[in-house]
Amino acid sequence: MSDDRIVRPRLRQALCALALATLPGCSGVQHVLAPAGTDAGFLANLFWIMLAGAVVLWIFMNGLMVYVTRINVRQMSPKKAEALIIGGGIVFPTVVIACLLSYALAAMPDMRAEGTGTRLKVTGEQWWWRVEYWPEGADAPIVSANEIVLPAGSRSEIALTADKVIHSFWVPALGGKTDMFPGRETRMSLEPLEPGTYRGQCTEFCGDSHAWMAFNTVVLPQEEYDAWLENAATDAVAPEGEAATRGREVFFAEGCGACHQVRGTAATGKVGPDLTHLGSRTSLAAGTLPLDEPSLIRWVRDAKAVKPGAEMPAYDHLSDDDLSDLAAYLEGLI
């Protein structure tokens, strides 16, 4: 048996196995083919339509080649040959691609429509996200970090910028991606449809911890979103309990308030993420860790060990009890 007869079946088996292995990736909270919003739904439909167009082109071109080289092998006049090349190789692909392009471009105005709900501003830092909510008529923003909360069923407008380097903002299940530039403001809008939690990611290489620069987008029904926004605008409430009270003392004794803000306290720092309602978030360190006591202790003890290049200093000089109490305080900021 020839080598080709052995290799080709194995190649087909390998391709089939690869296709089956990728099927589980077509779902979940970070996948373009599992849309949970108007914009992502259009992009998913566009993918399938473009795939169908590519298949039609592939079948037509390869079928034509098989026909003239295997099925109907005969001498062809120069005029017919030229017509075949121009029609099959230029005209037909141009028509198909033009139709696909027209379909895609026609939807762009809707995807860039102005938002009707709360406006947001997101700034890409190294390597985390500064988030500001601007309710209608507000004189100052409601500041948060590393998590986006949006209402379901309405279009929210998001202004995007960056501090030092280029980033890119993308929530695959909700819409397309938009780049973020220092000194320049870009914008996008998203219309989530299904409540849930969807993972976002920076998709522009931005340094040491680019891969660890993620965020969760929490989509809530309108009433729950309004209640959440009202709570987000309030000052922090000091957690109760001996451990949390002691942790609050550790927080201020170590000077954490010089970099972080906890509204309603003497902590007014703007260098790092706002911690006013840290305990209500779904993740820690820009989607890197779950938000729980062990993760808080691990992060505070040595942030650079978790996220290379992080500017937060290590607090490995603190005792286990101090770290545990500090975690209790931070987790209680809801």
Side-chain angles (χ1 to χ4, degrees):
M1 182 180 292
S2 68
D3 291 341
D4 286 346
R5 293 182 180 179
I6 297 175
V7 171
R8 287 178 181 175
R10 290 179 178 176
L11 180 59
R12 286 196 295 268
Q13 292 172 5
L15 290 174
C16 290
L18 180 61
L20 291 174
T22 59
L23 286 178
C26 296
S27 61
V29 295
Q30 190 180 356
H31 201 285
V32 294
L33 299 183
T38 301
D39 307 279
F42 170 79
L43 293 174
N45 290 337
L46 179 61
F47 167 80
W48 291 116
I49 291 172
M50 293 188 72
L51 179 62
V55 170
V56 169
L57 279 175
W58 187 90
I59 292 175
F60 177 80
M61 296 302 297
N62 285 277
L64 189 61
M65 182 175 63
V66 171
Y67 177 77
V68 298
T69 60
R70 299 292 181 89
I71 299 175
N72 188 20
V73 182
R74 61 186 176 85
Q75 187 175 1
M76 189 176 297
S77 68
K79 187 175 181 179
K80 287 185 177 181
E82 290 176 0
L84 188 64
I85 293 172
I86 294 174
I90 299 177
V91 176
F92 183 72
T94 299
V95 170
V96 173
I97 293 174
C99 291
L100 293 174
L101 184 62
S102 299
Y103 173 76
L105 293 178
M108 288 188 67
D110 293 336
M111 297 180 68
R112 293 182 57 82
E114 293 185 2
T116 57
T118 302
R119 294 182 296 113
L120 287 79
K121 180 179 180 180
V122 180
T123 303
E125 305 281 353
Q126 289 179 290
W127 286 268
W128 57 282
W129 310 88
R130 191 186 301 274
V131 184
E132 299 176 2
Y133 297 85
W134 287 87
E136 186 176 355
D139 297 325
I142 300 170
V143 181
S144 185
N146 294 328
E147 187 165 285
I148 309 295
V149 182
L150 299 175
S154 64
R155 182 166 291 277
S156 297
E157 186 167 339
I158 307 174
L160 302 169
T161 188
D163 181 28
K164 297 179 181 178
V165 299
I166 297 174
H167 300 281
S168 189
F169 181 94
W170 191 27
V171 188
L174 299 183
K177 62 181 74 172
T178 303
D179 287 342
M180 312 165 77
F181 305 95
R184 176 184 169 188
E185 186 173 280
T186 54
R187 58 170 296 276
M188 68 183 303
S189 61
L190 293 174
E191 187 178 11
L193 297 178
E194 300 179 15
T197 300
Y198 307 97
R199 190 174 187 271
Q201 179 70 46
C202 174
T203 55
E204 180 76 31
F205 180 73
C206 54
D208 293 351
S209 283
H210 163 68
W212 303 111
M213 189 173 173
F215 61 95
N216 283 337
T217 300
V218 180
V219 178
L220 301 174
Q222 186 65 54
E223 291 184 1
E224 293 183 24
Y225 174 78
D226 292 339
W228 174 88
L229 192 63
E230 183 179 354
N231 180 71
T234 62
D235 291 340
V237 177
E240 299 178 354
E242 184 177 346
T245 301
R246 168 62 182 152
R248 187 177 188 276
E249 295 173 358
V250 174
F251 181 88
F252 287 100
E254 293 297 324
C256 301
C259 292
H260 298 282
Q261 181 178 37
V262 180
R263 295 195 303 274
T265 74
T268 57
K270 301 294 179 66
V271 177
D274 186 290
L275 303 180
T276 304
H277 296 289
L278 173 66
S280 65
R281 297 173 195 162
T282 57
S283 68
L284 177 66
T288 304
L289 299 169
L291 198 131
D292 53 30
E293 183 175 331
S295 297
L296 282 164
I297 292 173
R298 180 185 173 192
W299 176 253
V300 173
R301 177 179 281 126
D302 191 358
K304 289 183 176 62
V306 177
K307 181 173 285 193
E311 296 181 357
M312 181 171 167
Y315 289 86
D316 49 2
H317 60 279
L318 293 176
S319 67
D320 289 344
D321 288 341
D322 284 345
L323 288 169
S324 179
D325 292 341
L326 179 57
Y329 169 65
L330 295 173
E331 195 173 10
L333 292 173
I334 57 175

